[in-house]
Amino acid sequence: MATRIEKDSMGERELPDSVYYGIQTLRALENFPISGIRPLPAYVDACVLIKKATALTNGELGCIPREIAAAIVQACDEILAGSLRDQFVVDIYQAGAGTSHHMNVNEVLANRALEILGLGKGCYERLSPNDHVNYGQSTNDVIPTAIRLGAALTLEQVLSGLDQVVAALEEKATAFQGIIRSGRTHLQDAVPVRLGENLRAYAVIFRQHQLWVGQARHSLYGLGLGGSAAGTGINTHPDYVPRVIQHLQTLTGLPLHPAPHPMAAMQSMAPFVQVSGSLRNLAQDGIKLANDLRLLDSGPATGLKEIALPPVQPGSSIMPGKYNPVMAEMLNMVCFQVLGLDTAITYAAQAGQLELNVMMPLIAFDLLHSIQILGQGLQVFAQRCLAGITANPERCRYFAESSLALVTALNPHIGYLAAAEVAKESLHSGRPIPEVVLAKKLLTPEQLAAILDLEAMSQIQWPPSGESND
């Protein structure tokens, strides 16, 4: 196998000539054989977008030769199109701040750019990972910028998933509006409600989460790129910051702008905590929705079975004919994972010291992984679960008519204590509430029929008189 020798500040090492990464990546592979988990594609994309923007800027400003800048840009374009993805190899648990991954990116781009110039890999005296690909940059401003870009670009997956969830819920809400079921509070019988309004309420909840996630996304647009090593901008051209951010705006389509202070953008992980927090909040309601649907679908003979979630696969290796709410179970697992990742992000965010947070590699992976699994989980859940829900109107009606909580409607007419006595007698005797009321001669049949009208009782009255729900 052909090999090449590369040199860094610690000495020389031999590498296979087939690989595009270099000596510093090799040292990271030796130092960090931890999880076998490599950087997520969105993180690689974000880093390469930064390198393209910086090469364009430094070439325009004369900081690096234009032909070298052009070769780096071409190498970036190839990788963004899907080339050389197997060359980004550093474990996600690595050197603090992300220096190992950053140099992996610099070395792959340098060696591919050297090939584009007709030179061999490792000819760094002509085109260097540090002096050219990384000109005017530092791990300390590149990595927090990459996390911002990666998260801002991939959050569209979550927002798209929420669009689909809301649309599916609203469609079912309209379809099930006329179905009356027993409400339940404390897992005990409550007053009648409309199944359609239950689903419409969920739609409102998740539409609100769209707003909160979108608001958190805006915190990512201020970039500290150009702060260099410690936020002072050392080794950068005076015109570098506005130009590089303009290039990134063009490349990403995001409304990016310089951060109010470069040191603040490098030190504080608050935007990532804010985004992660919005995902955690969303996950908590995702868990509740999944669990509520599982309860309503429980059975078929010994549970509620007021609705049926679509069967998508056999549910048991031993019990024939069994179907489980697997899509809701999947969403639960995704949401539990998001809660755990948020905890790790929060701890990592407060673990920085002075001018730098060295836990950025963990934050990068956990945040982008949360976005990835939650976005995909919501989309699949909407398509393969919510869209196929069917209702059991007869069972819903049976529970609504059997609920002892119907006596609540009697309170204004016979008083709370008398209504409580009716409920107790109905429970102990097994006689329906209307029969007990009439036997006690508390109301006339006409009065009782008007009061216990399930359609009227379950009709939601909102917004309050004189207010708008816009």
Side-chain angles (χ1 to χ4, degrees):
M1 181 174 61
T3 61
R4 69 179 188 269
I5 301 295
E6 288 195 14
K7 180 180 180 180
D8 64 8
S9 59
M10 294 180 66
E12 295 183 347
R13 293 297 301 273
E14 184 178 62
L15 293 93
D17 199 41
S18 59
V19 301
Y20 284 80
Y21 57 78
I23 184 172
Q24 294 196 47
T25 302
L26 177 63
R27 295 192 192 280
L29 288 172
E30 295 169 343
N31 288 333
F32 310 114
I34 310 302
S35 69
I37 303 174
R38 294 184 176 186
L40 292 169
Y43 188 40
V44 173
D45 285 345
C47 291
V48 174
L49 283 168
I50 292 169
K51 296 300 172 178
K52 179 176 180 178
T54 57
L56 288 168
T57 301
N58 287 324
E60 292 166 358
L61 296 174
C63 298
I64 61 176
R66 284 185 176 270
E67 67 274 14
I68 287 179
I72 296 170
V73 168
Q74 182 178 332
C76 290
D77 286 338
E78 292 175 0
I79 291 169
L80 292 170
S83 177
L84 302 181
R85 290 305 176 120
D86 61 342
Q87 298 299 300
F88 301 98
V89 293
V90 179
D91 199 287
I92 63 168
Y93 303 101
Q94 58 177 271
T99 301
S100 298
H101 169 74
H102 187 208
M103 284 308 303
N104 186 181
V105 173
N106 287 333
E107 289 174 341
V108 171
L109 288 172
N111 281 311
R112 177 58 193 138
L114 283 167
E115 284 186 337
I116 291 168
L117 293 174
L119 300 169
K121 301 186 192 76
C123 297
Y124 296 150
E125 64 279 359
R126 179 75 174 91
L127 194 162
S128 163
N130 295 89
D131 296 334
H132 297 103
V133 180
N134 196 55
Y135 185 91
Q137 303 153 65
S138 165
T139 296
N140 305 345
D141 66 339
V142 167
I143 296 302
T145 301
I147 301 173
R148 283 170 166 80
L149 293 182
L153 290 168
T154 55
L155 273 172
E156 190 57 43
Q157 299 172 16
V158 175
L159 295 171
S160 175
L162 283 168
D163 275 337
Q164 295 180 47
V165 166
V166 169
L169 288 169
E170 288 179 338
E171 179 182 349
K172 292 300 176 182
T174 300
F176 300 157
Q177 182 60 23
I179 298 175
I180 299 172
R181 54 176 291 273
S182 175
R184 294 179 182 87
T185 57
H186 301 262
L187 292 179
Q188 306 298 306
D189 296 352
V191 296
V193 295
R194 303 283 181 101
L195 179 59
E197 290 298 342
N198 291 138
L199 297 177
R200 185 164 287 109
Y202 289 127
V204 170
I205 289 167
F206 286 97
R207 196 180 298 116
Q208 183 64 57
H209 281 295
Q210 283 184 301
L211 176 62
W212 289 328
V213 172
Q215 289 171 340
R217 187 186 191 188
H218 281 277
S219 70
L220 301 170
Y221 296 149
L223 306 183
L225 190 63
S228 190
T232 63
I234 190 171
N235 293 346
T236 61
H237 190 283
D239 297 329
Y240 172 79
V241 170
R243 287 208 186 195
V244 75
I245 291 180
Q246 180 59 56
H247 279 302
L248 282 172
Q249 285 180 330
T250 302
L251 293 171
T252 64
L254 297 172
L256 306 171
H257 56 84
H261 197 292
M263 286 185 178
M266 292 165 59
Q267 294 174 35
S268 175
M269 303 290 103
F272 312 137
V273 175
Q274 183 177 2
V275 172
S276 181
S278 73
L279 301 180
R280 179 200 66 238
N281 197 12
L282 167 57
Q284 291 173 155
D285 274 332
I287 292 166
K288 183 180 184 299
L289 172 60
N291 284 339
D292 285 352
L293 294 178
R294 291 170 65 204
L295 277 173
L296 293 174
D297 184 38
S298 59
T302 60
L304 299 181
K305 211 58 182 181
E306 294 182 359
I307 65 170
L309 303 182
V312 295
Q313 65 183 55
S316 174
S317 61
I318 190 172
M319 291 178 279
K322 190 173 190 290
Y323 297 98
N324 298 332
V326 296
M327 302 311 296
E329 293 164 350
M330 172 278 296
L331 185 63
N332 267 338
M333 292 184 220
V334 166
C335 291
F336 295 155
Q337 184 67 75
V338 169
L339 298 183
L341 294 170
D342 175 71
T343 299
I345 289 168
T346 301
Y347 277 108
Q350 59 84 40
Q353 299 84 32
L354 303 176
E355 281 71 51
L356 184 66
N357 186 302
V358 296
M359 299 298 155
M360 288 189 290
L362 179 67
I363 293 172
F365 178 80
D366 285 356
L367 183 60
L368 295 179
H369 188 46
S370 284
I371 293 169
Q372 177 188 40
I373 62 175
L374 190 53
Q376 189 65 18
L378 289 170
Q379 292 179 44
V380 172
F381 184 67
Q383 296 162 9
R384 300 187 63 80
C385 182
L386 296 179
I389 292 175
T390 56
N392 187 338
E394 295 78 15
R395 193 161 178 86
C396 288
R397 184 84 183 196
Y398 168 77
F399 284 135
E401 292 176 342
S402 304
S403 172
L404 289 178
L406 291 178
V407 298
T408 304
L410 302 177
N411 287 356
H413 306 278
I414 66 175
Y416 181 90
L417 291 178
E421 288 299 321
V422 169
K424 286 192 288 185
E425 185 169 334
S426 174
L427 178 62
H428 293 148
S429 67
R431 297 158 64 198
I433 285 173
E435 183 178 326
V436 174
V437 172
L438 294 175
K440 288 178 172 289
K441 297 183 179 181
L442 297 172
L443 294 166
T444 67
E446 294 76 17
Q447 289 173 322
L448 188 61
I451 294 168
L452 297 186
D453 180 348
L454 295 185
E455 279 70 20
M457 291 172 66
S458 61
Q459 181 63 50
I460 189 169
Q461 301 297 323
W462 199 264
S465 178
E467 297 185 18
S468 170
N469 61 356
D470 291 341

